Amino acid sequence: MAVPIAKCLAAYAFLLLISLIFPHVFADNAVGDSPHRRFEYKYSFKGPHLTQSDGSIPFWIHTGNAIPSSDQIRITPSLRSQKGSVWTKNPVSFEHWEAEVAFRVSGRGRMGADGLAIWFTAGQGLEGPVYGAADQWNGVGIFFDSFDNDGKKNNPAVIVVGNNGQLFFDHQNDGTTQSLGTCLRDFRNKPYPVRAKITYYQKTLSVFINNGFTPDKDDYEFCTRVENMIIPETGYFGISAATGGLADDHDVLSFLLFRLAEPGQNLPPPEKEIPKEEKDKYQEEFENFQQELDKRKEEFQKEHPDAQGQPIEDLFESVNDREIRQVFEGQNRIHLEIKQLNRQLAMILDEQRRYVSVITEEISKRPSQAQSGQAPTHEMETIINTQQEVMRNLNELRNSLSGSLQQLAGGQQQGNAGGLGSYETVQHFNDIKEHLHVVKRSIEHIIQKNGNPAEKVKCPELPSLPSCLSTTHFVIFIVIQSLVFFGYVMYKSQQEAAAKKFF
């Protein structure tokens, strides 16, 4: 009997330990099956093409210093004392819901401020002192606080604060005296976007955080849970942020809202949720857009009468046209490269001619030399012969390049006139390939020819150049650089110590 009882006690202890470490797993199982989800596009946004042509966000409004773009919304830039927010235009009246938010909080400093907040409130808190939104809100706010106001070294942190519309937020204590749930999570300067999943189901608010260390979007960790959470039946979703004496970029990449329903209950069809007035409004907007499109089509046809009746296939590039265009572009690049090589060869030839003329003048100045001077004269003649041979090889190489250029030009003229046939195109490319091989062999031959005489002819040694920096100057430079560096470090430390948070 002792052995079975011991096994049961060990199993019970193991389950108890697991329930303490992962409480959300057992809580989810206690609720029952997972609820049904339906995506609500009218209360969501996500890039790309996040904004319209006029800079507005469909179904959302932005205020303050918020800057919408095609792939994200910068709630506040990294400047001091900035505030911004985005809010849904229409109220939400879902009994159960789940929101997934992807954002980045990034800054150059070791510390940041102030933070970012996700709201569900009875009214739109467009501007105010609580992370850029209004105080005394009626609803719930999930705060991502970056700055440690109370000096307890418990930031960055995620804090859940509820309000009935009568309380003022406790800034000095970072809202810890009013928090319903909190967890310590560092969400600044992560390699991937930080993600927050906020679920309100059966009067229970749960917060899960993806720390942004991996690209896995579903790698969530449990943060906090608030039981018996009462929120307004109808409210607005919003995201706000603010900066103080320190500043961060607060960027929101997406906000996705899902409506939840208990197992066994069917979600109402989307058509029944849209009032008739709103339907008529959207239909009128569509008809106006269609009329504007037809009007612009007529104006285009009047301005471009030649385009009338033209098949749409002729307006786009076919596969054969694209291949021919790529062939011509490749020929143009080869043509430009060969022209550049031809110019470089011409410069080399000019240099060789100058060398030969200088050596010839030097020899002509000393027509009669003593017996002791005959050896240098022989060496001079060897150098002249080598230079002349190099010039001949370079001339041949230049003529070969000129021939390649002419063939390329002829091929391009043929293509522009009526298009190259398959055989002619292959033949031209084969000729160009052979000429390039000739150029390569000629260059290798020139290198071999230049290598042998250089081993025989001994050039006079040049005197060593004097040092441009003495030891004393070098030591003085190092000392000055060290003083400047330490002065900059001390100045930076004083600036960080003097930085304070402002509201």
Side-chain angles (χ1 to χ4, degrees), residues 27-237:
D28 290 340
N29 293 333
V31 171
D33 297 334
S34 59
H36 301 298
R37 297 202 320 169
R38 186 177 71 196
F39 176 64
E40 300 291 340
Y41 72 94
K42 295 173 66 176
Y43 307 101
S44 307
F45 62 81
K46 182 181 179 181
H49 313 298
L50 192 150
T51 58
Q52 295 178 333
S53 58
D54 57 353
S56 62
I57 310 167
F59 307 110
W60 290 72
I61 58 174
H62 63 279
T63 62
N65 302 113
I67 306 173
S69 62
S70 61
D71 56 350
Q72 66 180 19
I73 302 175
R74 175 153 291 179
I75 308 297
T76 58
S78 55
L79 300 173
R80 292 185 177 184
S81 302
Q82 301 289 298
K83 297 178 182 179
S85 64
V86 290
W87 293 85
T88 55
K89 290 183 179 179
N90 301 319
V92 182
S93 58
F94 302 154
E95 184 179 1
H96 312 295
W97 49 264
E98 183 176 82
E100 296 180 359
V101 187
F103 62 92
R104 289 182 184 272
V105 179
S106 55
R108 294 181 298 176
R110 183 172 53 86
M111 297 183 298
D114 289 343
L116 181 139
I118 302 172
W119 302 90
F120 179 78
T121 59
Q124 297 172 336
L126 301 180
E127 289 188 9
V130 184
Y131 301 97
D135 204 344
Q136 292 182 294
W137 67 93
N138 183 13
V140 62
I142 296 91
F143 304 149
F144 295 82
D145 192 2
S146 305
F147 192 81
D148 190 9
N149 287 301
D150 53 10
K152 295 181 180 180
K153 298 182 179 180
N154 54 355
N155 294 84
V158 182
I159 306 169
V160 178
V161 178
N163 199 334
N164 57 1
Q166 299 179 359
L167 301 177
F168 289 93
F169 182 65
D170 186 6
H171 290 285
Q172 299 301 324
N173 295 313
D174 291 328
T176 54
T177 58
Q178 303 167 334
S179 66
L180 304 175
T182 182
C183 66
L184 298 180
R185 291 291 186 274
D186 186 8
F187 47 82
R188 296 184 66 249
N189 297 324
K190 297 304 176 184
Y192 298 97
V194 178
R195 300 178 184 274
K197 181 188 291 186
I198 305 164
T199 304
Y200 183 74
Y201 183 65
Q202 294 183 347
K203 297 183 179 180
T204 299
L205 184 73
S206 305
V207 180
F208 303 90
I209 303 296
N210 183 334
N211 288 324
F213 286 112
T214 63
D216 187 5
K217 298 180 180 180
D218 298 325
D219 186 16
Y220 286 101
E221 297 178 356
F222 175 75
C223 174
T224 185
R225 182 186 301 274
V226 182
E227 304 285 347
N228 298 321
M229 184 77 184
I230 305 299
I231 61 175
E233 295 181 358
T234 302
Y236 297 84
F237 283 99

Side-chain angles (χ1 to χ4, degrees), residues 317-335:
E317 186 179 38
S318 64
V319 177
N320 294 330
D321 293 339
R322 183 169 63 253
E323 291 179 353
I324 293 175
R325 177 177 58 79
Q326 291 175 351
V327 168
F328 287 150
E329 289 177 355
Q331 284 186 342
N332 286 330
R333 285 196 293 269
I334 295 173
H335 183 77

Side-chain angles (χ1 to χ4, degrees), residues 324-391:
I324 293 175
R325 177 177 58 79
Q326 291 175 351
V327 168
F328 287 150
E329 289 177 355
Q331 284 186 342
N332 286 330
R333 285 196 293 269
I334 295 173
H335 183 77
L336 294 175
E337 292 292 335
I338 294 179
K339 285 180 69 176
Q340 180 68 19
L341 186 58
N342 194 10
R343 286 194 294 269
Q344 293 178 356
L345 285 175
M347 294 171 60
I348 295 172
L349 278 173
D350 294 337
E351 187 117 8
Q352 293 290 333
R353 291 193 186 96
R354 193 172 74 253
Y355 289 157
V356 171
S357 63
V358 169
I359 294 172
T360 307
E361 290 177 1
E362 186 67 23
I363 293 176
S364 63
K365 289 180 181 178
R366 295 180 293 176
S368 60
Q369 277 188 332
Q371 189 68 22
S372 60
Q374 289 180 358
T377 304
H378 179 68
E379 292 179 357
M380 288 290 186
E381 291 178 355
T382 304
I383 292 174
I384 291 174
N385 294 332
T386 304
Q387 295 291 335
Q388 289 177 351
E389 186 175 357
V390 170
M391 287 180 60

